[in-house]
Amino acid sequence: MLDELPPFDYLDAATLAEAMAALTEHGPRAQVLAGGTDLLGLMKDRISGPGMPVPELLVNVKRIPELHGIAEAADGGLRIGAAVTLADLERDARVTARLPALAQAAAAVATTQIRAMGTVGGNLCQRPWCWYFRHPQFPCLKRGGKQCFALPGSNRTYFGVLGLGVCVMSHPSDLAPALIALDARVAIAGATGLRRVPIEQFFRGPRSRTETVLEPGEILVAVDVPAPAPGARSLFLKHRLRGTWDFALSEVAVSATPRSAAVGGSGAAGAGSWENVRVALGGVAPFPFRATAAEAVLAGQAPSESLLREAAAAAVARARPLTQNGYKIDLTRALVARALSALAADLG
């Protein structure tokens, strides 16, 4: 591995138009720079492949106003700028009060130092942390090669058991499962204007060489999180090898609304049951994985201990482990059950 950055040009963009123009003009030779905690490491290691050369131009987007701040939306939700740091996200009083799963996910990322630099957009758009992808001597499928080296190789930790395809890495974003559980959308600026994409659809599947739907010249501007329904609760749990800074072996974000709150009356039929149940997993698939099978078990039901166990089992029912990571199935089942039990206690 190399320790020095390769030579590059630098543009301090003041507007979205200026940044997008530079990205369009230079194509894949230009990359967005925000916190840089992932990009600069890739550059130092000279990680490249077809359509992803080592950048020759870095476009700094931290001065662009639209990418900053956490603002109240008209619907009572929050618009979170893509350049908001993870440290600011985890400390924001509105986020901790209304969107606890998101604050907990932000606090679970890496170390204090990295959270002070890393951004919301960077966390969502980071590249795989598979060591075969990160090593310049392994031309993996993501970098234009002809095979996934993790399949016959070392695949115990940062690799998936769900939704596998030609790539079996596990998606590294901690924020993504929380945002899926909270039904967020992302705002993307491009040549034709602003488009909004449900966060689930922002991520590509395991057969793609890129992880997101961002097209050349586009910039992730913000994340829009709707206001939670009255009485709604959410939480996020992460399991990792080390107590801090490490990527997830498995993680889960859950949210639900008690039926009495959802229908607007404490005496409604079905009181005590859950509505708007969302369960999202991280660290176990090549993309943030929404566990719809677990949601189906819980929707409209009053959560009992046996039902929560059934939902946890449903979350991993379609898991197919690799040669060394079968433990992730039991780990994820237990983590989902723990998260749902904590949510049930919180909802009362």
Side-chain angles (χ1 to χ4, degrees):
M1 300 294 177
L2 302 173
D3 295 325
E4 297 181 355
L5 284 168
F8 62 89
D9 292 325
Y10 176 85
L11 172 65
D12 199 13
T15 65
L16 272 173
E18 183 182 10
M20 289 188 295
L23 293 171
T24 300
E25 177 184 354
H26 295 274
R29 294 182 295 109
Q31 292 288 330
V32 167
L33 174 67
T37 57
D38 184 26
L39 175 62
L40 298 182
L42 289 169
M43 292 175 65
K44 284 183 178 181
D45 292 339
R46 308 315 196 256
I47 302 302
S48 63
M52 53 167 286
V54 175
E56 299 173 7
L57 171 66
L58 297 186
V59 181
N60 176 35
V61 297
K62 291 191 292 293
R63 291 181 56 205
I64 300 174
E66 293 94 326
L67 272 65
H68 281 280
I70 300 175
E72 301 276 349
D75 66 353
L78 295 176
R79 165 159 281 209
I80 301 166
V84 168
T85 67
L86 300 169
D88 285 343
L89 183 66
E90 70 171 293
R91 291 192 298 250
D92 187 275
R94 294 162 297 180
V95 176
T96 57
R98 305 179 202 174
L99 312 169
L102 184 57
Q104 293 157 5
V109 177
T111 63
T112 302
Q113 295 90 333
I114 289 176
R115 293 196 297 275
M117 289 292 295
T119 63
V120 170
N123 187 266
L124 295 175
C125 297
Q126 63 187 302
R127 301 308 310 272
W129 282 91
C130 165
W131 36 68
Y132 297 107
F133 173 83
R134 295 271 166 170
H135 199 294
Q137 294 181 9
F138 287 93
C140 78
L141 285 162
K142 284 275 187 183
R143 291 172 35 223
K146 296 182 178 180
Q147 73 174 98
C148 175
F149 292 94
L151 284 171
S154 176
N155 53 40
R156 178 172 174 77
T157 52
Y158 311 131
F159 301 91
V161 294
L162 286 161
L164 303 180
V166 294
C167 174
V168 298
M169 67 94 169
S170 57
H171 198 276
S173 174
D174 291 317
L175 297 188
L179 289 169
I180 290 174
L182 295 167
D183 199 18
R185 303 174 77 88
V186 295
I188 300 169
T192 59
L194 203 66
R195 64 185 178 113
R196 291 177 171 82
V197 178
I199 187 70
E200 244 183 298
Q201 298 174 21
F202 179 67
F203 301 99
R204 295 188 187 274
R207 298 188 177 277
S208 174
R209 286 194 171 129
T210 58
E211 291 75 54
T212 74
V213 299
L214 287 173
E215 298 291 343
E218 290 189 324
I219 296 175
L220 178 61
V221 175
V223 178
D224 294 315
V225 188
R233 297 289 188 273
S234 68
L235 65 86
F236 170 91
L237 294 177
K238 176 176 179 177
H239 185 89
R240 48 194 163 186
L241 282 174
R242 301 165 183 84
T244 185
W245 80 260
D246 209 349
F247 296 96
L249 295 178
S250 181
E251 60 190 8
V252 57
V254 295
S255 67
T257 305
R259 180 167 175 80
S260 58
V263 301
S266 59
S273 61
W274 287 0
E275 299 292 342
N276 306 321
V277 182
R278 296 176 74 93
V279 180
L281 308 177
V284 293
F287 51 91
F289 188 90
R290 185 172 173 191
T292 53
E295 296 173 2
V297 171
L298 295 166
Q301 301 296 317
S304 63
E305 185 176 341
S306 61
L307 193 72
L308 298 183
R309 288 198 302 268
E310 181 184 347
V316 294
R318 299 181 65 181
R320 297 294 180 267
L322 303 174
T323 55
Q324 300 169 11
N325 70 352
Y327 70 92
K328 282 197 172 189
I329 297 176
D330 289 339
L331 170 62
T332 303
R333 184 188 298 113
L335 200 65
V336 172
R338 180 179 154 205
L340 292 173
S341 294
L343 191 69
D346 195 20
L347 286 167

